[in-house]
């Protein structure tokens, strides 16, 4: 059952060319903040040496090997956690740790889609995102799902944020082994995947004030709603009033980075509500 809820308090790519332009100008045309440059060293340290209990593994697929980071109970349901355009940095690791600690517990795995690279500012993040092999990223996701299923997780979900949110929805179409998806503020382009062909249950979250037109604004969220209705799968689309893009990023460093780019403060109540819905969805569909 699909519900759109106004919550209280070249090669195929995820983004079209227009979306790339919109994402870039959205950030680069914001007033400059010295804190962005001042925070670069801090962000590098956080990205390279986050003090979280991850196990680094390597996953093979086709003729390539990529690193991944795992945290959580060995025999718990698995969740693949997909990065924003920044790469595998402190914030996506924070999300994975949070997921692993949700009752009754999950095993979270972050595949390194950028192969060790991390964007420290908007220009670097855009460069990395534009250079991503999107079909290859979907293959990485599928290999990650299958690794979890081969290593103690009977069922596996996928979640992601921004770029990772779009890839999560694409995976619900393109990766048949997935058992559930929760996507945050991102919709794939029609060239990559048509959500009307989704095969796994999808829950999606968007901020009402998100102005990434065609990618994660309210219009894009409502269009996703219609596509998911057509798929016939269980699905929900939640829209959070008063919240913008990336409202789930609530670490001290993430909040500072958002402010340096002119992003409004997020709503803690909305974040907790989103996590509660995430937990309910994944528990429902990943229970053995």
């Amino acid at each position: 059952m699909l519900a759109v809820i106004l919550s209280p308090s070249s090669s195929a790519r995820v983004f079209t060319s227009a979306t790339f332009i919109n994402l870039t100008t959205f950030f680069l045309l914001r007033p400059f903040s010295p804190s962005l440059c001042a925070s670069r060293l801090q962000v590098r340290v956080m990205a390279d040496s986050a003090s979280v209990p991850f196990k680094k593994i390597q996953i093979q697929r086709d003729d390539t090997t990529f690193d991944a980071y795992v945290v959580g109970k060995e025999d718990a349901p698995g969740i693949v956690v997909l990065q924003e355009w920044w790469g595998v940095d402190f914030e996506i690791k924070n999300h994975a740790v949070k997921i692993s600690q949700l009752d009754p517990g999950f095993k979270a795995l972050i595949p390194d889609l950028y192969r060790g690279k991390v964007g420290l500012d908007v220009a670097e993040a855009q460069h990395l995102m534009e250079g991503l092999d999107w079909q290859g990223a979907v293959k990485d996701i599928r290999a990650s799902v299958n690794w979890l299923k081969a290593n103690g997780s009977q069922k596996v979900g996928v979640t992601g944020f921004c770029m990772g949110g779009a890839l999560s929805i694409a995976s619900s179409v393109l990766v048949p082994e997935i058992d559930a998806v929760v996507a945050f503020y991102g919709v794939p382009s029609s060239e990559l995947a048509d959500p009307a062909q989704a095969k796994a249950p999808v829950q999606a979250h968007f901020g009402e004030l998100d102005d990434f037109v065609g990618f994660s604004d309210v219009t894009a969220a409502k269009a996703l709603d219609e596509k998911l209705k057509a798929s016939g799968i269980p699905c929900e689309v939640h829209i959070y009033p008063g919240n913008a893009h990336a409202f789930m990023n609530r670490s001290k460093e993430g909040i500072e980075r958002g402010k340096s780019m002119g992003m409004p403060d997020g709503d803690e109540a909305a974040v907790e509500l989103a996590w509660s819905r995430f937990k309910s969805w994944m528990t429902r569909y990943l229970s053995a």
Side-chain angles (χ1 to χ4, degrees):
M1 178 178 179
L2 176 65
V4 175
I5 302 174
L6 294 179
S7 308
S9 347
S10 61
S11 59
R13 295 187 171 188
V14 172
F15 302 96
T16 63
S17 297
T19 305
F20 274 125
I21 294 170
N22 185 269
L23 283 168
T24 306
T25 55
F26 178 85
F27 287 123
L28 295 182
L29 296 183
R30 295 295 175 97
F32 172 76
S33 171
S35 61
L36 181 57
C37 290
S39 66
R40 285 175 60 89
L41 178 58
Q42 181 183 25
V43 171
R44 171 67 77 188
V45 171
M46 289 297 294
D48 289 348
S49 59
S51 56
V52 291
F54 285 93
K55 178 174 71 174
K56 185 177 180 180
I57 63 169
Q58 287 195 319
I59 297 176
Q60 178 79 32
R61 62 100 173 153
D62 298 333
D63 59 350
T64 187
T65 300
F66 61 92
D67 292 336
Y69 301 86
V70 182
V71 62
K73 293 164 49 177
E74 283 298 317
D75 59 349
I79 298 180
V80 177
V81 184
L82 302 177
Q83 66 200 50
E84 298 175 292
W85 69 344
W86 305 108
V88 180
D89 70 347
F90 60 92
E91 200 67 85
I92 201 65
K93 288 185 175 181
N94 290 339
H95 291 325
V97 171
K98 171 76 173 180
I99 289 166
S100 74
Q101 295 173 346
L102 292 173
D103 185 58
F106 297 98
K107 185 177 181 179
L109 181 152
I110 308 170
D112 189 346
L113 304 181
Y114 286 168
R115 303 300 191 259
K117 297 177 181 178
V118 177
L120 302 184
D121 57 31
V122 169
E124 290 178 359
Q126 185 207 10
H127 177 73
L128 289 169
M129 182 177 67
E130 287 182 335
L132 182 66
D133 173 3
W134 301 102
Q135 287 82 8
V138 172
K139 290 179 180 179
D140 287 354
I141 296 164
R142 185 174 190 179
S144 299
V145 170
N146 288 331
W147 186 93
L148 283 166
K149 289 197 170 186
N151 288 273
S153 298
Q154 294 187 38
K155 293 188 177 182
V156 176
V158 175
T159 191
F161 303 80
C162 186
M163 182 184 85
L167 281 168
S168 297
I169 293 172
S171 297
S172 74
V173 178
L174 301 171
V175 181
E177 295 87 351
I178 290 174
D179 296 296
V181 165
V182 177
F184 291 89
Y185 31 80
V187 177
S189 71
S190 58
E191 290 87 355
L192 183 65
D194 179 4
Q197 303 301 316
K199 300 173 182 65
V202 175
Q203 182 185 80
H205 303 264
F206 298 87
E208 180 191 35
L209 303 181
D210 194 323
D211 53 2
F212 288 173
V213 177
F215 176 66
S216 53
D217 64 333
V218 170
T219 299
K222 291 180 178 179
L224 175 66
D225 169 4
E226 294 304 316
K227 289 282 190 177
L228 293 175
K229 279 181 179 177
S231 76
I233 59 165
C235 42
E236 298 175 356
V237 175
H238 300 284
I239 301 172
Y240 296 79
N243 286 270
H245 192 77
F247 67 90
M248 295 296 288
N249 293 347
R250 301 307 296 160
S251 72
K252 179 180 177 181
E253 296 81 12
I255 292 171
E256 178 63 24
R257 181 166 64 185
K259 288 181 178 178
S260 73
M261 295 185 296
M263 301 285 280
D265 286 342
D267 177 357
E268 292 288 356
V271 171
E272 289 307 310
L273 179 58
W275 279 125
S276 174
R277 288 166 167 164
F278 174 99
K279 172 186 169 182
S280 296
W281 192 259
M282 289 301 196
T283 300
R284 181 188 314 169
Y285 291 106
L286 300 187
S287 297

